[in-house]
């Protein structure tokens, strides 16, 4: 059963229905579900779907010819395969689809270009002279994001300005991801998402009929299962020097988020080298560099500023628990690793993903105009502000702190301050008080709203406060998980 991807399917369908020719580039990191989405889109529509292989140009052309000739185009009567790529691509005009759009999907297009670097130029020339005004739709799909962004679509490259649609697919959000586990409790849905993220390939590995704990043991920790070797397989496919990348990713997974801390943990003497490795991981969609939501352009340009985090929940889980206990897993000690390393730390591990879930919840609220104002940007806030310190003279001092979620209205006149608690105890009034006194050095005369997100509800005093304070909203787990 195909799940989610409504936005991607709607985008493709809108392009399909346009009268003029369409040249679409669809790309994104591996395992994100590009191929499955394209196949779902193609259902019920005449089309040619060609998946490129890592082979020589001659072999690639022969395979492409064989796929196109299945459609009984006129050229098949005279030749057994195309002699060049220009005639091969032009054959899309001969597809016997009547008044329907003549559609050609080329999956993993970068493989084709790797075997023949002139292919983008051939396609560009053909598009300009023969195809752009015809009732055709060509979709170029690929996982090599750096190649597509820098070598295919960037200025001065052949296909620059030719694409009629460019769509970068990212992982599913929480609300689509948990559709894979319709019968899980709200808590288990958050746990499953914190472990697998929004990558369809990973989500399909879990059996929705057994518990999260059993799924972790059977489908992640057991040698031979798909996810046991997934990280190693992907890194070897995309990168060289995998031991260094392993050390860097492990450092980030264990909450070393600053460049110097990552270098120290990974035993790399030169932080400039670490920056290069991190840049490659960012291009693969595994790591992201995160800044405070109110950071300016100059700060973002400073290589030593910002923090690094893993964008892929499964990578974070594997490096936090699987990679660090690899020897025991190789020995088959699955229950021991789960009972002593994972189970005691799972709630804390899930708390990071819970913050992302709450941000997605707020984005959905904005779509429904359910917030007290419309924000222009939202994210984590970090900086110096007033924080609670029982040892200080007045119980407060100025220090480094962070706010899980800060939404900023247009003109910086309104702010939504959010705090997320994923713990088995209710959100306390003291925790709310600490959130409220984080007086961010913002513009004067701004209006502050507060949103508290809790896995386990709220103390009575917090509930009473919300009943009398219209600027305070409380959201428990059932509200958040079942909102969409």
């Amino acid at each position: 059963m195909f799940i989610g991807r409504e936005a991607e399917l709607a985008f493709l369908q809108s392009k399909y229905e346009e009268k003029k020719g369409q040249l679409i580039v669809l790309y994104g990191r591996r395992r994100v579900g590009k191929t499955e989405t394209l196949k779902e889109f193609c259902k019920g529509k005449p089309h040619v779907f060609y998946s490129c292989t890592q082979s020589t140009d001659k072999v690639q052309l022969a395979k492409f010819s064989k796929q196109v000739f299945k459609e009984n185009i006129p050229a098949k009567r005279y030749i057994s395969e195309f002699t060049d790529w220009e005639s091969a691509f032009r054959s899309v005009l001969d597809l016997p689809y009547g008044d329907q759009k003549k559609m050609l999907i080329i999956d993993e297009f970068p493989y084709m270009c790797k075997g023949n670097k002139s292919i983008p130029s051939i396609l560009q020339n053909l598009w300009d002279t023969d195809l752009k005004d015809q009732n055709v739709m060509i979709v170029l799909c690929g996982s090599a994001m750096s190649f597509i962004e820098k070598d295919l679509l960037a200025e001065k490259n052949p296909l620059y300005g030719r694409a009629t649609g460019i769509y970068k697919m990212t992982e599913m959000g929480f609300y689509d991801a948990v559709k894979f586990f319709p019968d899980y409790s709200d808590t288990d849905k958050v746990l499953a998402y914190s472990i697998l993220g929004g990558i369809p390939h990973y989500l399909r590995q879990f059996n929705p009929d057994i518990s999260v704990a059993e799924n972790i043991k059977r489908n992640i920790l057991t040698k031979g299962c798909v996810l046991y070797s997934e990280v190693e397989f992907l890194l070897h496919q995309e990168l060289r020097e995998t031991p260094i990348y392993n050390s860097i990713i492990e450092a980030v997974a264990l909450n070393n988020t600053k460049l110097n801390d990552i270098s120290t943990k990974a035993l790399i003497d030169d932080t400039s080298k670490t920056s290069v490795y991190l840049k490659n991981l960012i291009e693969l969609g595994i790591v992201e560099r995160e800044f405070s939501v109110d950071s300016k352009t100059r700060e973002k340009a400073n290589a030593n500023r910002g923090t690094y985090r893993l964008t892929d929940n499964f990578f974070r889980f594997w490096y936090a628990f699987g990679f660090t206990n690899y020897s025991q897993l190789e020995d088959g000690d699955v229950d021991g690793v789960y009972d002593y390393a994972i189970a005691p730390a799972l709630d804390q591990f899930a708390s990071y993903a819970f913050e992302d879930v709450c941000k997605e919840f707020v984005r959905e609220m904005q779509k429904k105009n359910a917030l007290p104002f419309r924000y222009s940007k939202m994210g984590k806030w970090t900086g110096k502000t007033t924080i609670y310190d029982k040892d200080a003279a007045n119980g407060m001092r100025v220090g480094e702190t962070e706010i899980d979620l800060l939404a900023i209205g247009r003109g910086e006149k309104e702010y939504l301050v959010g705090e997320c608690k994923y713990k088995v105890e209710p959100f306390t009034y003291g925790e709310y008080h600490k959130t409220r006194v984080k007086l961010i050095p913002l513009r004067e005369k701004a209006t502050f709203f507060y949103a508290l997100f809790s896995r386990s509800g709220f103390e009575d005093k917090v509930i009473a406060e919300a009943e009398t304070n219209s600027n305070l909203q409380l959201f428990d787990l059932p509200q958040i998980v079942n909102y969409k």
Side-chain angles (χ1 to χ4, degrees), residues 270-296:
D270 188 350
T271 57
S272 63
K273 290 183 179 179
T274 308
S275 292
V276 174
Y277 291 122
L278 286 167
K279 180 175 177 290
N280 292 336
L281 291 170
I282 289 171
E283 289 180 350
L284 288 176
I286 296 170
V287 169
E288 71 175 353
R289 191 171 168 213
E290 190 175 51
F291 294 88
S292 180
V293 66
D294 61 345
S295 294
K296 307 302 182 194

PDB file of all heavy atoms in Angstrom, residues 270-296:
ATOM      1  N   ASP A 270      42.532  18.776  12.738  1.00  0.00           N
ATOM      2  CA  ASP A 270      42.257  19.988  11.960  1.00  0.00           C
ATOM      3  C   ASP A 270      40.745  20.162  11.774  1.00  0.00           C
ATOM      4  O   ASP A 270      40.105  19.371  11.079  1.00  0.00           O
ATOM      5  CB  ASP A 270      42.953  19.881  10.596  1.00  0.00           C
ATOM      6  CG  ASP A 270      42.879  21.166   9.801  1.00  0.00           C
ATOM      7  OD1 ASP A 270      42.127  22.080  10.201  1.00  0.00           O
ATOM      8  OD2 ASP A 270      43.568  21.254   8.771  1.00  0.00           O
ATOM      9  N   THR A 271      40.178  21.205  12.376  1.00  0.00           N
ATOM     10  CA  THR A 271      38.731  21.417  12.249  1.00  0.00           C
ATOM     11  C   THR A 271      38.314  21.743  10.823  1.00  0.00           C
ATOM     12  O   THR A 271      37.167  21.491  10.441  1.00  0.00           O
ATOM     13  CB  THR A 271      38.255  22.550  13.180  1.00  0.00           C
ATOM     14  OG1 THR A 271      38.978  23.748  12.874  1.00  0.00           O
ATOM     15  CG2 THR A 271      38.441  22.184  14.638  1.00  0.00           C
ATOM     16  N   SER A 272      39.233  22.276  10.020  1.00  0.00           N
ATOM     17  CA  SER A 272      38.888  22.569   8.624  1.00  0.00           C
ATOM     18  C   SER A 272      38.612  21.278   7.856  1.00  0.00           C
ATOM     19  O   SER A 272      37.756  21.238   6.968  1.00  0.00           O
ATOM     20  CB  SER A 272      40.006  23.367   7.935  1.00  0.00           C
ATOM     21  OG  SER A 272      41.204  22.611   7.880  1.00  0.00           O
ATOM     22  N   LYS A 273      39.324  20.215   8.216  1.00  0.00           N
ATOM     23  CA  LYS A 273      39.055  18.911   7.594  1.00  0.00           C
ATOM     24  C   LYS A 273      37.692  18.388   8.035  1.00  0.00           C
ATOM     25  O   LYS A 273      36.937  17.843   7.236  1.00  0.00           O
ATOM     26  CB  LYS A 273      40.149  17.910   7.966  1.00  0.00           C
ATOM     27  CG  LYS A 273      41.507  18.192   7.336  1.00  0.00           C
ATOM     28  CD  LYS A 273      42.512  17.116   7.706  1.00  0.00           C
ATOM     29  CE  LYS A 273      43.862  17.382   7.055  1.00  0.00           C
ATOM     30  NZ  LYS A 273      44.869  16.347   7.423  1.00  0.00           N
ATOM     31  N   THR A 274      37.403  18.561   9.320  1.00  0.00           N
ATOM     32  CA  THR A 274      36.091  18.136   9.820  1.00  0.00           C
ATOM     33  C   THR A 274      34.977  18.870   9.081  1.00  0.00           C
ATOM     34  O   THR A 274      33.942  18.277   8.751  1.00  0.00           O
ATOM     35  CB  THR A 274      35.982  18.412  11.327  1.00  0.00           C
ATOM     36  OG1 THR A 274      37.100  17.841  11.993  1.00  0.00           O
ATOM     37  CG2 THR A 274      34.701  17.825  11.894  1.00  0.00           C
ATOM     38  N   SER A 275      35.188  20.154   8.803  1.00  0.00           N
ATOM     39  CA  SER A 275      34.181  20.949   8.081  1.00  0.00           C
ATOM     40  C   SER A 275      33.900  20.360   6.708  1.00  0.00           C
ATOM     41  O   SER A 275      32.750  20.338   6.260  1.00  0.00           O
ATOM     42  CB  SER A 275      34.652  22.408   7.934  1.00  0.00           C
ATOM     43  OG  SER A 275      34.685  23.055   9.172  1.00  0.00           O
ATOM     44  N   VAL A 276      34.949  19.897   6.036  1.00  0.00           N
ATOM     45  CA  VAL A 276      34.779  19.314   4.697  1.00  0.00           C
ATOM     46  C   VAL A 276      33.956  18.032   4.779  1.00  0.00           C
ATOM     47  O   VAL A 276      33.029  17.813   3.985  1.00  0.00           O
ATOM     48  CB  VAL A 276      36.144  19.040   4.037  1.00  0.00           C
ATOM     49  CG1 VAL A 276      35.967  18.288   2.715  1.00  0.00           C
ATOM     50  CG2 VAL A 276      36.890  20.343   3.799  1.00  0.00           C
ATOM     51  N   TYR A 277      34.283  17.184   5.744  1.00  0.00           N
ATOM     52  CA  TYR A 277      33.520  15.940   5.911  1.00  0.00           C
ATOM     53  C   TYR A 277      32.057  16.237   6.244  1.00  0.00           C
ATOM     54  O   TYR A 277      31.139  15.603   5.710  1.00  0.00           O
ATOM     55  CB  TYR A 277      34.145  15.086   7.020  1.00  0.00           C
ATOM     56  CG  TYR A 277      35.500  14.514   6.681  1.00  0.00           C
ATOM     57  CD1 TYR A 277      36.619  14.791   7.462  1.00  0.00           C
ATOM     58  CD2 TYR A 277      35.670  13.682   5.576  1.00  0.00           C
ATOM     59  CE1 TYR A 277      37.868  14.265   7.154  1.00  0.00           C
ATOM     60  CE2 TYR A 277      36.911  13.150   5.262  1.00  0.00           C
ATOM     61  CZ  TYR A 277      38.009  13.448   6.055  1.00  0.00           C
ATOM     62  OH  TYR A 277      39.238  12.913   5.733  1.00  0.00           O
ATOM     63  N   LEU A 278      31.833  17.204   7.116  1.00  0.00           N
ATOM     64  CA  LEU A 278      30.462  17.572   7.473  1.00  0.00           C
ATOM     65  C   LEU A 278      29.714  18.137   6.278  1.00  0.00           C
ATOM     66  O   LEU A 278      28.521  17.866   6.093  1.00  0.00           O
ATOM     67  CB  LEU A 278      30.477  18.589   8.619  1.00  0.00           C
ATOM     68  CG  LEU A 278      30.832  18.031   9.989  1.00  0.00           C
ATOM     69  CD1 LEU A 278      31.137  19.158  10.970  1.00  0.00           C
ATOM     70  CD2 LEU A 278      29.706  17.155  10.537  1.00  0.00           C
ATOM     71  N   LYS A 279      30.399  18.909   5.466  1.00  0.00           N
ATOM     72  CA  LYS A 279      29.778  19.462   4.252  1.00  0.00           C
ATOM     73  C   LYS A 279      29.305  18.345   3.337  1.00  0.00           C
ATOM     74  O   LYS A 279      28.203  18.403   2.765  1.00  0.00           O
ATOM     75  CB  LYS A 279      30.777  20.362   3.516  1.00  0.00           C
ATOM     76  CG  LYS A 279      30.251  21.001   2.239  1.00  0.00           C
ATOM     77  CD  LYS A 279      31.286  21.963   1.673  1.00  0.00           C
ATOM     78  CE  LYS A 279      30.797  22.551   0.347  1.00  0.00           C
ATOM     79  NZ  LYS A 279      30.778  21.544  -0.726  1.00  0.00           N
ATOM     80  N   ASN A 280      30.110  17.288   3.193  1.00  0.00           N
ATOM     81  CA  ASN A 280      29.712  16.148   2.356  1.00  0.00           C
ATOM     82  C   ASN A 280      28.494  15.436   2.938  1.00  0.00           C
ATOM     83  O   ASN A 280      27.599  15.009   2.194  1.00  0.00           O
ATOM     84  CB  ASN A 280      30.879  15.164   2.226  1.00  0.00           C
ATOM     85  CG  ASN A 280      32.036  15.738   1.424  1.00  0.00           C
ATOM     86  OD1 ASN A 280      31.844  16.643   0.603  1.00  0.00           O
ATOM     87  ND2 ASN A 280      33.229  15.241   1.652  1.00  0.00           N
ATOM     88  N   LEU A 281      28.445  15.319   4.259  1.00  0.00           N
ATOM     89  CA  LEU A 281      27.296  14.683   4.903  1.00  0.00           C
ATOM     90  C   LEU A 281      26.043  15.542   4.778  1.00  0.00           C
ATOM     91  O   LEU A 281      24.929  15.030   4.653  1.00  0.00           O
ATOM     92  CB  LEU A 281      27.602  14.406   6.378  1.00  0.00           C
ATOM     93  CG  LEU A 281      28.656  13.328   6.643  1.00  0.00           C
ATOM     94  CD1 LEU A 281      29.067  13.312   8.112  1.00  0.00           C
ATOM     95  CD2 LEU A 281      28.140  11.947   6.225  1.00  0.00           C
ATOM     96  N   ILE A 282      26.220  16.856   4.775  1.00  0.00           N
ATOM     97  CA  ILE A 282      25.085  17.761   4.561  1.00  0.00           C
ATOM     98  C   ILE A 282      24.539  17.583   3.145  1.00  0.00           C
ATOM     99  O   ILE A 282      23.320  17.539   2.938  1.00  0.00           O
ATOM    100  CB  ILE A 282      25.510  19.222   4.812  1.00  0.00           C
ATOM    101  CG1 ILE A 282      25.744  19.455   6.306  1.00  0.00           C
ATOM    102  CG2 ILE A 282      24.445  20.193   4.291  1.00  0.00           C
ATOM    103  CD1 ILE A 282      26.379  20.789   6.643  1.00  0.00           C
ATOM    104  N   GLU A 283      25.417  17.462   2.164  1.00  0.00           N
ATOM    105  CA  GLU A 283      24.983  17.274   0.773  1.00  0.00           C
ATOM    106  C   GLU A 283      24.235  15.959   0.584  1.00  0.00           C
ATOM    107  O   GLU A 283      23.368  15.851  -0.286  1.00  0.00           O
ATOM    108  CB  GLU A 283      26.189  17.338  -0.162  1.00  0.00           C
ATOM    109  CG  GLU A 283      26.772  18.743  -0.291  1.00  0.00           C
ATOM    110  CD  GLU A 283      27.959  18.799  -1.225  1.00  0.00           C
ATOM    111  OE1 GLU A 283      28.462  17.718  -1.632  1.00  0.00           O
ATOM    112  OE2 GLU A 283      28.400  19.913  -1.561  1.00  0.00           O
ATOM    113  N   LEU A 284      24.546  14.969   1.419  1.00  0.00           N
ATOM    114  CA  LEU A 284      23.844  13.682   1.346  1.00  0.00           C
ATOM    115  C   LEU A 284      22.524  13.695   2.110  1.00  0.00           C
ATOM    116  O   LEU A 284      21.763  12.726   2.055  1.00  0.00           O
ATOM    117  CB  LEU A 284      24.731  12.561   1.900  1.00  0.00           C
ATOM    118  CG  LEU A 284      25.915  12.133   1.041  1.00  0.00           C
ATOM    119  CD1 LEU A 284      26.743  11.085   1.782  1.00  0.00           C
ATOM    120  CD2 LEU A 284      25.456  11.593  -0.295  1.00  0.00           C
ATOM    121  N   GLY A 285      22.253  14.785   2.830  1.00  0.00           N
ATOM    122  CA  GLY A 285      21.008  14.873   3.583  1.00  0.00           C
ATOM    123  C   GLY A 285      21.037  14.101   4.884  1.00  0.00           C
ATOM    124  O   GLY A 285      19.978  13.783   5.441  1.00  0.00           O
ATOM    125  N   ILE A 286      22.222  13.816   5.412  1.00  0.00           N
ATOM    126  CA  ILE A 286      22.356  13.072   6.664  1.00  0.00           C
ATOM    127  C   ILE A 286      22.562  14.012   7.843  1.00  0.00           C
ATOM    128  O   ILE A 286      22.106  13.747   8.953  1.00  0.00           O
ATOM    129  CB  ILE A 286      23.527  12.066   6.559  1.00  0.00           C
ATOM    130  CG1 ILE A 286      23.211  11.018   5.482  1.00  0.00           C
ATOM    131  CG2 ILE A 286      23.804  11.391   7.899  1.00  0.00           C
ATOM    132  CD1 ILE A 286      24.383  10.131   5.139  1.00  0.00           C
ATOM    133  N   VAL A 287      23.246  15.113   7.598  1.00  0.00           N
ATOM    134  CA  VAL A 287      23.553  16.101   8.631  1.00  0.00           C
ATOM    135  C   VAL A 287      23.042  17.458   8.177  1.00  0.00           C
ATOM    136  O   VAL A 287      22.956  17.747   6.981  1.00  0.00           O
ATOM    137  CB  VAL A 287      25.079  16.161   8.888  1.00  0.00           C
ATOM    138  CG1 VAL A 287      25.466  17.348   9.756  1.00  0.00           C
ATOM    139  CG2 VAL A 287      25.561  14.857   9.540  1.00  0.00           C
ATOM    140  N   GLU A 288      22.685  18.297   9.143  1.00  0.00           N
ATOM    141  CA  GLU A 288      22.361  19.683   8.827  1.00  0.00           C
ATOM    142  C   GLU A 288      23.051  20.603   9.824  1.00  0.00           C
ATOM    143  O   GLU A 288      23.342  20.203  10.956  1.00  0.00           O
ATOM    144  CB  GLU A 288      20.853  19.934   8.833  1.00  0.00           C
ATOM    145  CG  GLU A 288      20.203  19.908  10.191  1.00  0.00           C
ATOM    146  CD  GLU A 288      18.730  20.282  10.137  1.00  0.00           C
ATOM    147  OE1 GLU A 288      18.250  20.678   9.061  1.00  0.00           O
ATOM    148  OE2 GLU A 288      18.062  20.152  11.182  1.00  0.00           O
ATOM    149  N   ARG A 289      23.329  21.812   9.376  1.00  0.00           N
ATOM    150  CA  ARG A 289      23.913  22.839  10.244  1.00  0.00           C
ATOM    151  C   ARG A 289      22.781  23.740  10.702  1.00  0.00           C
ATOM    152  O   ARG A 289      22.068  24.313   9.884  1.00  0.00           O
ATOM    153  CB  ARG A 289      24.973  23.621   9.476  1.00  0.00           C
ATOM    154  CG  ARG A 289      25.834  24.532  10.314  1.00  0.00           C
ATOM    155  CD  ARG A 289      26.966  25.066   9.457  1.00  0.00           C
ATOM    156  NE  ARG A 289      27.669  26.166  10.099  1.00  0.00           N
ATOM    157  CZ  ARG A 289      28.203  27.184   9.440  1.00  0.00           C
ATOM    158  NH1 ARG A 289      28.098  27.228   8.111  1.00  0.00           N
ATOM    159  NH2 ARG A 289      28.835  28.147  10.071  1.00  0.00           N
ATOM    160  N   GLU A 290      22.627  23.861  12.003  1.00  0.00           N
ATOM    161  CA  GLU A 290      21.471  24.538  12.565  1.00  0.00           C
ATOM    162  C   GLU A 290      21.902  25.814  13.273  1.00  0.00           C
ATOM    163  O   GLU A 290      22.917  25.851  13.964  1.00  0.00           O
ATOM    164  CB  GLU A 290      20.766  23.599  13.551  1.00  0.00           C
ATOM    165  CG  GLU A 290      19.421  24.075  14.035  1.00  0.00           C
ATOM    166  CD  GLU A 290      18.736  23.043  14.915  1.00  0.00           C
ATOM    167  OE1 GLU A 290      19.383  22.568  15.874  1.00  0.00           O
ATOM    168  OE2 GLU A 290      17.578  22.700  14.640  1.00  0.00           O
ATOM    169  N   PHE A 291      21.104  26.864  13.076  1.00  0.00           N
ATOM    170  CA  PHE A 291      21.356  28.146  13.727  1.00  0.00           C
ATOM    171  C   PHE A 291      20.138  28.553  14.532  1.00  0.00           C
ATOM    172  O   PHE A 291      19.027  28.082  14.284  1.00  0.00           O
ATOM    173  CB  PHE A 291      21.656  29.230  12.683  1.00  0.00           C
ATOM    174  CG  PHE A 291      22.924  29.017  11.922  1.00  0.00           C
ATOM    175  CD1 PHE A 291      22.941  28.254  10.767  1.00  0.00           C
ATOM    176  CD2 PHE A 291      24.115  29.575  12.362  1.00  0.00           C
ATOM    177  CE1 PHE A 291      24.111  28.052  10.059  1.00  0.00           C
ATOM    178  CE2 PHE A 291      25.295  29.379  11.661  1.00  0.00           C
ATOM    179  CZ  PHE A 291      25.294  28.619  10.508  1.00  0.00           C
ATOM    180  N   SER A 292      20.353  29.456  15.478  1.00  0.00           N
ATOM    181  CA  SER A 292      19.226  30.032  16.203  1.00  0.00           C
ATOM    182  C   SER A 292      18.297  30.694  15.193  1.00  0.00           C
ATOM    183  O   SER A 292      18.734  31.262  14.190  1.00  0.00           O
ATOM    184  CB  SER A 292      19.731  31.059  17.214  1.00  0.00           C
ATOM    185  OG  SER A 292      18.650  31.626  17.926  1.00  0.00           O
ATOM    186  N   VAL A 293      16.997  30.619  15.450  1.00  0.00           N
ATOM    187  CA  VAL A 293      16.001  31.073  14.486  1.00  0.00           C
ATOM    188  C   VAL A 293      16.164  32.545  14.119  1.00  0.00           C
ATOM    189  O   VAL A 293      15.761  32.959  13.032  1.00  0.00           O
ATOM    190  CB  VAL A 293      14.581  30.792  15.035  1.00  0.00           C
ATOM    191  CG1 VAL A 293      14.297  31.628  16.263  1.00  0.00           C
ATOM    192  CG2 VAL A 293      13.522  31.033  13.971  1.00  0.00           C
ATOM    193  N   ASP A 294      16.785  33.333  14.989  1.00  0.00           N
ATOM    194  CA  ASP A 294      16.953  34.761  14.711  1.00  0.00           C
ATOM    195  C   ASP A 294      18.343  35.112  14.206  1.00  0.00           C
ATOM    196  O   ASP A 294      18.722  36.283  14.152  1.00  0.00           O
ATOM    197  CB  ASP A 294      16.634  35.585  15.958  1.00  0.00           C
ATOM    198  CG  ASP A 294      17.552  35.256  17.130  1.00  0.00           C
ATOM    199  OD1 ASP A 294      18.247  34.212  17.080  1.00  0.00           O
ATOM    200  OD2 ASP A 294      17.576  36.040  18.109  1.00  0.00           O
ATOM    201  N   SER A 295      19.139  34.108  13.803  1.00  0.00           N
ATOM    202  CA  SER A 295      20.501  34.363  13.319  1.00  0.00           C
ATOM    203  C   SER A 295      20.491  35.164  12.020  1.00  0.00           C
ATOM    204  O   SER A 295      19.623  34.990  11.170  1.00  0.00           O
ATOM    205  CB  SER A 295      21.249  33.043  13.098  1.00  0.00           C
ATOM    206  OG  SER A 295      21.449  32.372  14.315  1.00  0.00           O
ATOM    207  N   LYS A 296      21.505  36.025  11.887  1.00  0.00           N
ATOM    208  CA  LYS A 296      21.649  36.856  10.689  1.00  0.00           C
ATOM    209  C   LYS A 296      22.573  36.172   9.686  1.00  0.00           C
ATOM    210  O   LYS A 296      23.274  35.219   9.987  1.00  0.00           O
ATOM    211  CB  LYS A 296      22.206  38.240  11.052  1.00  0.00           C
ATOM    212  CG  LYS A 296      21.425  38.952  12.148  1.00  0.00           C
ATOM    213  CD  LYS A 296      19.957  39.141  11.777  1.00  0.00           C
ATOM    214  CE  LYS A 296      19.209  39.892  12.879  1.00  0.00           C
ATOM    215  NZ  LYS A 296      17.768  39.820  12.750  1.00  0.00           N
TER     216      LYS A 296
END
